[in-house]
């Protein structure tokens, strides 16, 4: 698959259609395989592609050419979902993908052998509606071996991965949920949604513990962008969230914003990395912030807008320790260190 | 010898004493016979050896006597004188003997000489005789070989074999009993037989000749009869013409056309035959005709050598002429014209479409380039109001562009032509395309010309099967092309007046109330399109080739202005028009800074199949534009209201939407659900 068709190449019907499809592709989600050598990416057409990071990063591949896309074969390519693939996570054996209403499980080992049959599929108990609500976020809770799904129906569903049954429903959001984050120490989950609130849930009692309505704080409110919280990350007592309101670092116990990061574009993904905060959203760049609010670096990628970042920190594959970023294009940018974009994988 | 001489000497001495008696007797015998004395005869009787002894003895005696005389004289006694006298007498005798001996020696010498001479003469005579004999022998040998080498003429004559001869020849010729043993007689008999046979055959030959003569005469007579028949038949044909016309049976016309077709160059002939065949078998709306002057075509064939000579000479001449003549430019021009010369005959195809519009195709053959070109013209049943933006749609130059993907018809399909162009300084064929017609690849294929991509070769032969295999698809494509162009033409006429002409059978694709309006539809140049800031993606993806047509649409609703840059592929509508959007409302929004604008582009560009409408989906462009209007409505009405701004929303939400936003990229509900009339997310 080529990234850019050279100019003035005669195009037939199918070629034009494929070119247009690639042009309007959005990659919503990524997930690194448990072995750390492969990366799965899901797009708006419901396709999941598996890229081999290890072969893309190997020295031979680099010497071969500077067009990585041609070199790195998409190992596995199937129409996995009817609608877009909004979210994906990997357990130690499975890849879980979610889009319109359903979560599906795929066996990593089989996918790498190009067997693209889904292992199982589950639908959370929705209230009846004209439209099937989408699942925007998946979150693994390793301690209780469960999966939390959240999305269009404004609720958090907990699914026991052992039995495949839905055990809990956490209600509280008034609009659909964009993102989830797990607090590592206590069994608490954070969720952020279109209604502009970040809610903290206690998994033991299945109750809402705390609510932060970000847009109500004048420092970070940006009414022209809307209230929605698009991204969320947490580290001990700290939480960072962004979206319509400005990207803000919060101290959870006191519910106060401590740092407001000076960036105008709405952010779609944020994560803690060592003592930095990485964020991405509209615009080509991956932003690196100091906790104090200073912009440490802005590394440009190839997509006009980014939707997801993925840090490959699998201990099994230290040579594949990279940052990947994907969004409004058919390309997944690969950053071998945080400083610059090494190359792009492409659908 | 000495002993012998001494022996001989003794008898001499004796003879001189007492033996001369015997000698005398012998001598007397001879003398008695001759009856005369001859010293010569004496010589014969004497032995030369004895004479030699005698001579020696006499000399010794003389010496002794001389010595004694000298001795006596020196003593000088008394009786010396007698003694001396005696001695002197003795000496005299001896002198006589010597004299005698001397004479004998002379005679002997003379005799010897004579004998030698005589013998020599004899030898000479013998030698001469020998020479003569040898010569005679040689001559005879020559004669013998000549005889041996003699060849008779009969040996060259091929005779029948011996067995056959005895089997076939009558006995009075073969005479077996005589000839069996005698090869000479046998050969003579065989020769006789041969002569007999030859005479017979010659007779037969003469007979055959006369037979032939007779038959020839018969043929002549019959020919005369046939030639007299032709004018009569012609007159009958002439007389039958009105009947043919009356009965609508245009045999004659078809015949005439075939007659003309004989003068077509091979590719045009292939095209003519295949198109006629296709027209008769599959498509009654296709009519084929031949245009041009037959006489010129005929004239072409007469002096082919002259023109070829010119061609081959041109290389060599070119350099000279550059130096010689100042009118080089004119000459090159002439050469170019010569190279680009068309065959005087051309084939016209008229393809009638459903709505009575006709596509006129004129196929030409460029003789020196060995390629075919086509000129197209579309005539419609009704007079069309030509919208400004539709200028290129039906223009002969572009109406058939890219009938097959990538077939622009600007470059020559024959690789060999490039070399020919180099000679006369033509850069590309595209400068001449307007005048000559377009050399599309499919045209070559219809004419059965197939050019291999890599190696240019002169021997391209018109191939019927190639033409036949492409005829049907091409004709269908041509029809579709004309229809889609006419449909576009019609749509453009409305679009220019700000009306999006949605047909009734596509009405279900859109809600009843659409507020956004198309206000502008203009054509833009390719370069201008390339320079637009929001079309970069399309250009990068290679979708903005220079064969496409480019347009700019402006859709307005209130203060919001949506610019849409449209790429119209010549392959419309199987290849959809591609839209790029730029919304001017609360700042400039394009696909790079607004996910929903990107989604709107995706809606019209990728999901175009929903908008095709009934086959053959010529309404696609209209539907896409109407869809854009709907999308703009949705976009504006669902935009979240900024609480901080005073006053009512500019665009109150009128569309029924299940949800406003969905998914991580906060998509708006762009999908229209037909019977229920609400909007949802895709």
């Amino acid at each position: 698959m080529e990234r850019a068709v050279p100019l003035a190449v005669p195009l037939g019907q199918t070629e034009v259609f494929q070119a247009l499809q690639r042009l309007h592709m959005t990659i919503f989600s990524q997930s690194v395989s448990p072995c750390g050598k492969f990366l799965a990416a899901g797009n708006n057409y419901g396709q999941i592609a598996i890229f081999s990071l290890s072969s893309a990063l190997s020295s031979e591949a680099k010497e071969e050419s500077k067009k990585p896309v041609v070199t790195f074969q998409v190992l596995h390519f199937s129409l996995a979902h009817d609608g877009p693939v909004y979210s994906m996570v990997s357990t130690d054996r499975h890849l879980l993908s979610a889009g319109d209403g359903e979560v599906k499980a795929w066996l990593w080992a089989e996918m790498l052998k190009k067997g693209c049959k889904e292992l199982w599929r589950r639908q959370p108990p929705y209230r009846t509606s004209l439209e099937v609500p989408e699942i925007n976020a998946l979150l693994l809770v390793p301690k209780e071996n469960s999966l939390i799904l959240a999305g269009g129906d404004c609720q958090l569903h907990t699914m026991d991965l052992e039995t495949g049954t839905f055990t809990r429903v956490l209600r509280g959001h008034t609009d659909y949920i964009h993102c989830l984050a797990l607090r590592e120490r206590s069994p608490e989950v954070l969720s952020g949604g279109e209604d502009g609130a970040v809610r903290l849930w206690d998994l033991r009692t299945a109750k809402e513990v705390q609510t932060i309505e970000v847009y109500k704080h004048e420092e970070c409110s940006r009414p022209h962008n809307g209230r929605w919280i698009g991204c969320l990350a947490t580290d001990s007592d700290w939480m960072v969230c962004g979206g319509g309101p400005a990207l803000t670092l919060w101290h959870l116990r006191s519910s106060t914003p401590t740092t407001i990061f000076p960036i105008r574009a709405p952010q779609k993904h944020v994560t803690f990395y060592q003592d930095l905060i990485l964020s991405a959203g509209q615009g080509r760049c991956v932003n690196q912030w100091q906790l104090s609010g200073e912009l440490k670096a802005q590394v440009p990628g190839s997509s006009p807008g980014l939707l997801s970042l993925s840090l490959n920190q699998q201990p099994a594959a230290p040579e594949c320790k990279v940052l990947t970023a994907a969004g409004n294009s058919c390309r997944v940018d690969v950053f071998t260190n945080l400083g610059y974009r090494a190359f792009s994988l492409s659908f | 010898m000495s002993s012998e001489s001494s022996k001989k000497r003794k008898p001499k001495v004796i003879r001189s004493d007492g033996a001369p008696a015997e000698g005398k007797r012998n001598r007397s015998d001879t003398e008695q016979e001759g009856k005369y004395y001859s010293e010569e005869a004496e010589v014969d009787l004497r032995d030369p050896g004895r004479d030699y002894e005698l001579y020696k003895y006499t000399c010794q005696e003389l010496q002794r006597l001389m010595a004694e005389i000298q001795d006596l004289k020196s003593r000088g006694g008394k009786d010396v004188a007698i003694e001396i006298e005696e001695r002197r007498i003795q000496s005299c005798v001896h002198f006589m003997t010597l004299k005698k001996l001397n004479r004998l020696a002379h005679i002997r010498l003379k005799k010897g000489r004579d004998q030698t001479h005589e013998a020599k003469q004899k030898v000479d005579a013998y030698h001469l005789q020998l020479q003569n004999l040898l010569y005679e022998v040689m001559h005879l040998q020559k004669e013998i070989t000549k005889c041996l080498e003699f060849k008779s003429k009969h040996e060259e004559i091929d005779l029948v074999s011996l067995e056959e001869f005895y089997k076939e020849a009558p006995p009075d010729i073969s005479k077996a009993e005589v000839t069996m043993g005698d090869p000479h007689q046998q050969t003579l008999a065989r020769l006789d037989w041969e002569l007999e046979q030859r005479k017979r055959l010659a007779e037969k030959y003469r007979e055959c000749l006369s037979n032939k003569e007779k038959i020839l005469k018969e043929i002549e007579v019959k020919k005369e009869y046939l030639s007299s028949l032709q004018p009569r038949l012609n007159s009958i044909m002439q007389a039958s013409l009105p009947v043919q016309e009356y009965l609508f049976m245009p045999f004659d016309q078809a015949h005439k056309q075939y007659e003309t077709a004989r003068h077509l160059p091979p590719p045009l002939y292939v095209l003519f035959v295949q198109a006629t065949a296709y027209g008769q078998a599959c498509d009654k709306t296709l009519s084929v005709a031949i245009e041009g002057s037959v006489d010129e075509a005929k004239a072409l064939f007469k002096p082919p050598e002259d023109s070829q000579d010119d061609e081959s000479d041109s290389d060599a001449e070119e350099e000279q002429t550059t130096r010689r003549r100042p009118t080089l430019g004119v000459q090159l021009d002439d050469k170019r014209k010569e190279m680009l010369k068309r065959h005087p005959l051309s084939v016209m195809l008229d393809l009638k479409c459903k709505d009575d519009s006709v596509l006129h195709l004129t196929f030409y053959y460029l003789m020196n380039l060995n390629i075919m070109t086509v000129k197209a013209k579309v005539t419609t049943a009704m007079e069309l109001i030509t919208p400004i933006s539709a200028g290129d749609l039906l223009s002969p130059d572009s109406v058939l562009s890219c009938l097959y993907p990538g077939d622009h018809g600007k470059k020559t399909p024959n690789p060999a032509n490039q070399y020919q162009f180099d000679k006369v300084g033509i850069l590309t064929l595209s400068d001449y395309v307007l005048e000559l017609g377009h050399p599309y690849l499919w045209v070559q294929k219809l004419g059965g010309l197939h050019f291999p991509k890599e190696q240019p070769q002169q021997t391209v032969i018109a191939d019927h099967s190639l033409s036949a295999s492409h005829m049907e698809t091409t004709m269908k494509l041509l029809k579709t092309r004309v229809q889609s162009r006419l449909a576009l033409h019609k749509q453009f006429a409305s679009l220019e007046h700000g009306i999006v002409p949605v047909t009734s059978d596509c009405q279900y694709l859109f809600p009843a109330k659409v507020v956004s309006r198309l206000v502008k539809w203009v054509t833009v140049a390719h370069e201008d399109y390339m320079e637009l800031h929001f079309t970069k993606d399309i250009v990068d993806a290679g979708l903005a080739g220079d064969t496409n047509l480019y347009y700019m649409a402006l859709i307005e609703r209130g203060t919001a202005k949506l610019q849409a840059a449209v790429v119209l592929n010549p392959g419309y509508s199987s290849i959809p028009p591609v839209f790029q959007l730029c919304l001017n409302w609360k700042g400039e929004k394009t696909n790079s800074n607004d996910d929903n604008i990107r989604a709107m582009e995706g809606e019209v560009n990728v999901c175009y199949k929903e908008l095709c409408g009934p086959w053959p989906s010529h309404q696609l462009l209209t539907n896409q534009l109407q869809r854009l209007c709907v999308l703009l409505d949705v976009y504006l009405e669902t935009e979240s209201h900024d609480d901080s701004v005073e006053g009512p929303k500019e665009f109150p939400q009128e569309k029924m939407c299940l949800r406003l936003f969905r998914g991580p990229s906060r998509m708006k509900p762009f999908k229209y659900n037909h019977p229920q009339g609400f909007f949802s997310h895709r």
Side-chain angles (χ1 to χ4, degrees):
Chain A
M1 300 218 163
E2 288 183 7
R3 181 174 50 188
V5 184
L7 214 67
V9 163
L11 292 166
Q13 190 180 356
T14 45
E15 286 102 327
V16 169
F17 182 66
Q18 278 168 4
L20 287 172
Q21 224 183 15
R22 286 155 50 75
L23 207 59
H24 292 97
M25 191 183 288
T26 305
I27 299 174
F28 283 111
S29 52
Q30 335 170 32
S31 179
V32 178
S33 70
C35 65
K37 288 179 181 168
F38 297 93
L39 179 76
N43 69 8
N44 58 331
Y45 302 119
Q47 297 163 327
I48 296 175
I50 313 256
F51 299 99
S52 168
L53 284 176
S54 57
S55 67
L57 286 164
S58 71
S59 52
E60 296 137 41
K62 261 183 206 166
E63 281 163 14
E64 249 177 55
S65 73
K66 290 188 176 175
K67 285 192 281 179
V69 193
V70 185
T71 330
F72 314 133
Q73 287 295 314
V74 176
L75 273 181
H76 170 222
F77 202 91
S78 70
L79 200 61
H81 287 263
D82 292 336
V85 185
Y86 285 133
S87 183
M88 289 198 290
V89 288
S90 292
T91 67
D92 50 358
R93 288 178 62 210
H94 300 135
L95 173 72
L96 307 174
S97 66
D100 274 351
E102 281 183 325
V103 59
K104 296 185 182 185
W106 315 79
L107 216 53
W108 268 109
E110 263 185 41
M111 282 196 293
L112 297 180
K113 281 185 235 151
K114 305 189 180 177
C116 49
K117 206 175 169 330
E118 66 190 47
L119 200 61
W120 47 258
R121 58 165 84 187
R122 294 282 183 279
Q123 187 166 18
Y126 295 126
R127 288 166 292 187
T128 49
S129 160
L130 268 176
E131 195 183 39
V132 181
E134 82 279 13
I135 297 168
N136 284 329
L138 294 176
L139 184 68
L140 281 171
V141 186
K143 271 182 195 166
E144 51 180 62
N145 193 23
S146 67
L147 178 74
I148 301 177
L149 307 85
D153 67 344
C154 317
Q155 303 170 26
L156 282 76
H157 298 271
T158 320
M159 192 184 93
D160 188 4
L161 283 176
E162 194 77 35
T163 61
T165 52
F166 290 92
T167 50
R168 274 185 294 245
V169 178
L170 307 175
R171 295 193 182 93
H173 276 287
T174 57
D175 207 335
Y176 78 91
I177 299 165
H178 272 289
C179 48
L180 295 170
L182 182 71
R183 295 194 70 186
E184 273 157 32
R185 274 179 242 163
S186 49
E188 285 176 341
V189 173
L190 286 159
S191 67
E194 186 72 16
D195 59 359
V198 176
R199 291 168 206 269
L200 183 63
W201 308 86
D202 189 328
L203 285 178
R204 285 165 297 195
T205 59
K207 288 268 166 59
E208 190 176 333
V209 184
Q210 195 181 354
T211 308
I212 302 169
E213 292 180 299
V214 180
Y215 63 95
K216 285 188 178 167
H217 292 260
E218 220 173 286
E219 314 87 295
C220 44
S221 150
R222 291 189 297 193
H224 58 279
N225 280 345
R227 299 169 175 179
W228 54 279
I229 297 295
C231 54
L232 197 59
T234 178
D235 192 6
S236 65
D237 273 344
W238 299 95
M239 184 266 289
V240 62
C241 68
L247 187 69
T248 318
L249 182 67
W250 293 78
H251 188 244
L252 276 179
R253 238 180 297 162
S254 57
S255 301
T256 48
T258 51
T259 313
I260 293 161
F261 299 97
I263 182 156
R264 291 182 59 186
Q267 296 300 292
K268 298 282 177 70
H269 198 279
V270 68
T271 181
F272 285 96
Y273 175 67
Q274 292 164 355
D275 55 348
L276 291 175
I277 290 172
L278 307 179
S279 79
Q282 224 152 60
R284 297 190 165 272
C285 299
V286 176
N287 308 303
Q288 300 173 20
W289 307 95
Q290 308 277 15
L291 291 181
S292 59
E294 269 175 57
L295 183 64
K296 193 195 169 214
Q298 274 193 313
V299 187
S302 67
S303 310
L306 294 173
L307 288 173
S308 68
L309 296 174
S310 163
L311 268 164
N312 182 4
Q313 288 174 312
Q314 291 292 345
E319 77 277 7
C320 297
K321 188 179 170 188
V322 291
L323 172 71
T324 51
N328 289 340
S329 74
C330 56
R331 296 178 289 278
V332 180
D333 294 339
V334 179
F335 302 82
T336 43
N337 64 27
L338 291 184
Y340 76 105
R341 179 175 72 94
F343 56 86
S344 299
L345 305 165
S346 173
F347 261 85
Chain B
M1 174 84 172
S2 65
S3 71
E4 201 181 349
S5 65
S6 67
K7 263 182 200 167
K8 277 185 178 173
R9 196 183 160 196
K10 266 177 190 168
K12 175 77 185 186
V13 175
I14 292 165
R15 201 184 64 178
S16 62
D17 289 340
E22 189 191 359
K24 280 211 172 133
R25 199 195 311 142
N26 283 351
R27 208 182 296 158
S28 66
D29 283 347
T30 51
E31 276 166 22
Q32 272 165 358
E33 271 178 19
K35 285 182 185 157
Y36 59 89
Y37 171 76
S38 151
E39 212 161 24
E40 279 92 351
E42 198 189 347
V43 170
D44 290 336
L45 299 174
R46 291 181 72 109
D47 185 6
R50 232 178 253 171
D51 281 352
Y52 178 59
E53 293 293 329
L54 184 65
Y55 162 69
K56 267 184 167 174
Y57 170 74
T58 316
C59 286
Q60 267 173 3
E61 278 304 297
L62 269 179
Q63 275 173 350
R64 189 184 52 85
L65 286 176
M66 289 299 162
E68 276 176 12
I69 293 171
Q70 196 185 8
D71 206 27
L72 287 176
K73 278 196 173 168
S74 56
R75 263 192 271 158
K78 279 186 220 157
D79 13 331
V80 174
I82 304 169
E83 286 237 0
I84 291 172
E85 192 58 25
E86 200 185 339
R87 301 271 192 290
R88 199 180 48 106
I89 292 165
Q90 279 177 354
S91 298
C92 279
V93 172
H94 282 301
F95 271 119
M96 289 310 285
T97 317
L98 273 180
K99 263 191 167 177
K100 170 84 178 166
L101 280 173
N102 187 30
R103 254 186 343 264
L104 280 178
H106 274 288
I107 290 168
R108 256 193 210 115
L109 181 68
K110 195 187 166 226
K111 226 179 189 173
R113 261 188 201 144
D114 285 349
Q115 267 173 357
T116 315
H117 184 70
E118 208 174 319
K120 197 187 157 214
Q121 258 180 345
K122 226 184 226 167
V123 168
D124 277 351
Y126 281 136
H127 187 73
L128 193 65
Q129 208 177 349
L130 177 69
Q131 289 281 338
N132 283 339
L133 285 174
L134 277 177
Y135 183 75
E136 207 171 333
V137 165
M138 217 158 62
H139 178 71
L140 285 175
Q141 271 172 346
K142 249 184 218 166
E143 284 294 303
I144 290 169
T145 44
K146 228 184 240 172
C147 287
L148 283 177
E149 278 166 9
F150 173 75
K151 281 217 163 108
S152 167
K153 239 190 185 164
H154 83 272
E155 281 169 37
E156 287 166 19
I157 298 171
D158 245 351
L159 293 173
V160 290
S161 72
L162 209 56
E163 289 167 33
E164 224 173 300
F165 166 68
Y166 280 116
K167 215 189 284 171
E168 285 176 8
D172 60 322
I173 291 177
S174 67
K175 290 179 205 149
E177 66 283 357
V178 184
T179 55
M180 267 313 200
D182 185 355
H184 181 71
Q185 284 299 325
Q186 192 181 45
T187 312
L188 280 178
R190 283 171 74 185
L191 283 170
D192 278 346
W193 174 231
E194 185 73 26
L195 180 68
E196 191 74 13
Q197 268 180 321
R198 286 192 181 201
K199 271 182 190 163
R200 227 182 295 158
L201 286 174
E203 187 68 24
K204 210 184 257 178
Y205 173 69
R206 227 175 300 135
E207 244 169 70
C208 287
L209 266 185
S210 67
N211 225 13
K212 184 184 151 195
E213 200 78 8
K214 222 187 283 170
I215 292 170
L216 272 177
K217 252 177 214 162
E218 261 173 61
I219 290 173
E220 197 70 24
V221 171
K222 279 178 185 170
K223 256 187 191 167
E224 243 165 68
Y225 172 70
L226 280 178
S227 61
S228 73
L229 204 60
Q230 176 73 24
R232 265 191 286 167
L233 282 176
N234 273 350
S235 64
I236 293 173
M237 288 274 280
Q238 207 66 35
S240 76
L241 267 183
V243 184
Q244 274 186 35
E245 247 164 68
Y246 182 70
L247 294 174
F248 295 108
M249 295 194 304
F251 296 126
D252 211 48
Q253 210 186 337
H255 187 74
K256 248 181 211 163
Q257 208 166 44
Y258 291 142
E259 188 65 29
T260 324
R262 273 184 30 211
H263 300 287
L264 286 173
L268 284 179
Y269 184 76
V270 168
L271 172 73
F272 173 78
V273 169
Q274 292 298 333
T276 316
Y278 176 73
Q280 278 172 1
C282 309
D283 193 348
K284 296 284 179 236
T285 61
L286 178 72
S287 68
V288 188
I290 299 174
E291 285 204 337
S293 142
V294 182
D295 295 335
E296 274 182 54
K298 277 183 193 161
L300 265 185
F301 282 96
K302 272 175 194 164
E305 285 127 38
D306 288 7
S307 64
Q308 268 192 346
D309 276 358
D310 277 358
E311 285 254 14
S312 55
D313 284 351
S314 63
D315 294 341
E317 250 173 48
E318 205 153 26
E319 281 183 38
Q320 296 177 352
T321 48
T322 44
R323 264 178 265 136
R324 249 194 330 228
R325 289 172 217 170
T327 53
L328 177 66
V330 178
Q331 269 204 326
L332 259 184
D333 251 16
D334 285 348
K335 267 186 193 156
R336 276 178 212 160
K337 264 182 206 157
E338 174 64 31
M339 180 159 291
L340 299 173
K341 210 168 153 194
R342 306 196 281 225
H343 193 273
L345 290 178
S346 56
V347 173
M348 280 270 294
L349 289 191
D350 285 356
L351 205 57
K352 213 177 267 176
C353 299
K354 272 173 212 153
D355 50 354
D356 277 353
S357 52
V358 184
L359 174 66
H360 305 278
L361 296 172
T362 316
F363 292 90
Y364 300 101
Y365 177 61
L366 304 186
M367 292 176 291
N368 291 327
L369 298 179
N370 191 24
I371 54 173
M372 286 172 72
T373 60
V374 69
K375 274 190 183 177
K377 203 182 137 207
V378 179
T379 55
T380 47
M382 295 162 295
E383 194 62 32
L384 281 176
I385 323 129
T386 309
I388 306 156
S389 56
D392 283 346
L393 278 182
L394 293 175
S395 79
D397 190 28
S398 71
V399 69
L400 296 180
S401 161
C402 295
L403 194 63
Y404 288 92
D407 193 0
H408 308 306
K410 303 260 183 200
K411 276 191 293 184
T412 169
N414 186 352
N417 289 166
Q418 202 49 54
Y419 304 110
Q420 293 173 292
F421 289 163
D422 289 347
K423 259 188 216 167
V424 297
I426 297 176
L427 285 180
T428 59
L429 193 64
S430 57
D431 304 338
Y432 300 87
V433 150
L434 261 187
E435 185 192 338
L436 297 172
H438 289 266
Y440 296 112
L441 282 177
W442 58 266
V443 178
Q444 321 306 320
K445 283 183 178 153
L446 286 190
L449 293 174
H450 176 71
F451 298 102
K453 282 282 169 202
E454 293 309 319
Q455 67 267 40
Q457 53 188 44
Q458 203 57 55
T459 53
V460 182
I461 309 153
D463 180 8
H464 273 273
S465 59
L466 180 70
S467 171
S469 62
H470 280 81
M471 185 61 75
E472 186 167 0
T473 14
T474 308
M475 287 302 151
K476 282 186 177 154
L477 279 175
L478 282 170
K479 266 192 182 176
T480 321
R481 169 60 62 87
V482 172
Q483 278 170 343
S484 73
R485 282 294 163 98
L486 286 171
L488 277 177
H489 201 270
K490 229 185 269 173
Q491 291 172 43
F492 280 15
S494 305
L495 292 176
E496 275 193 355
H497 293 92
I499 303 160
V500 184
V502 181
T503 53
S504 57
D505 50 4
C506 297
Q507 206 56 260
Y508 70 94
L509 291 168
F510 313 105
K513 190 181 174 192
V514 181
V515 187
S516 302
R517 286 279 161 255
L518 177 75
V519 291
K520 206 167 89 180
W521 174 261
V522 288
T523 167
V524 292
H526 178 223
E527 297 77 31
D528 296 342
Y529 179 90
M530 304 283 275
E531 279 166 17
L532 287 174
H533 63 282
F534 55 95
T535 56
K536 197 171 161 294
D537 289 343
I538 297 292
V539 176
D540 286 348
L543 294 171
D546 57 354
T547 50
N548 298 329
L549 303 170
Y550 296 91
Y551 300 95
M552 188 67 93
L554 183 64
I555 297 172
E556 276 187 8
R557 179 175 175 180
T559 55
K561 289 181 166 53
L562 180 69
Q563 273 183 293
V566 187
V567 183
L568 187 73
N569 195 294
Y572 178 87
S573 59
S574 63
I575 298 176
V578 179
F579 289 75
Q580 287 284 285
L581 305 177
C582 175
L583 177 65
N584 280 299
W585 184 60
K586 295 183 181 174
E588 194 177 71
K589 291 169 183 177
T590 64
N591 62 15
S592 60
N593 61 12
D594 191 322
D595 289 347
N596 278 303
I597 296 289
R598 192 164 184 265
M600 285 162 71
E601 287 174 1
E603 285 286 333
V604 285
N605 289 342
V606 179
C607 307
Y608 71 92
K609 280 176 184 156
E610 300 168 6
L611 302 170
C612 282
W615 199 85
S617 59
H618 293 318
Q619 288 296 315
L620 177 59
L621 178 69
T622 298
N623 291 349
Q624 279 178 315
L625 282 167
Q626 181 73 353
R627 178 92 178 114
L628 265 186
C629 293
V630 176
L631 292 174
L632 181 62
D633 279 354
V634 174
Y635 181 92
L636 294 174
E637 286 176 22
T638 55
E639 195 57 29
S640 54
H641 186 60
D642 190 345
D643 295 331
S644 61
V645 180
E646 292 288 315
K649 281 174 90 169
E650 188 186 353
F651 305 111
Q653 193 184 334
E654 292 167 344
K655 306 270 184 293
M656 197 163 57
C657 304
L658 291 180
R659 274 170 63 187
L660 293 187
F661 296 101
R662 189 175 198 259
S665 47
R666 305 184 72 240
M667 286 297 134
K668 299 187 179 207
F670 288 127
K671 186 181 171 190
Y672 176 68
N673 297 277
H674 163 53
Q676 298 88 355
F678 66 89
F679 285 84
S680 65
H681 290 89
R682 187 170 291 281

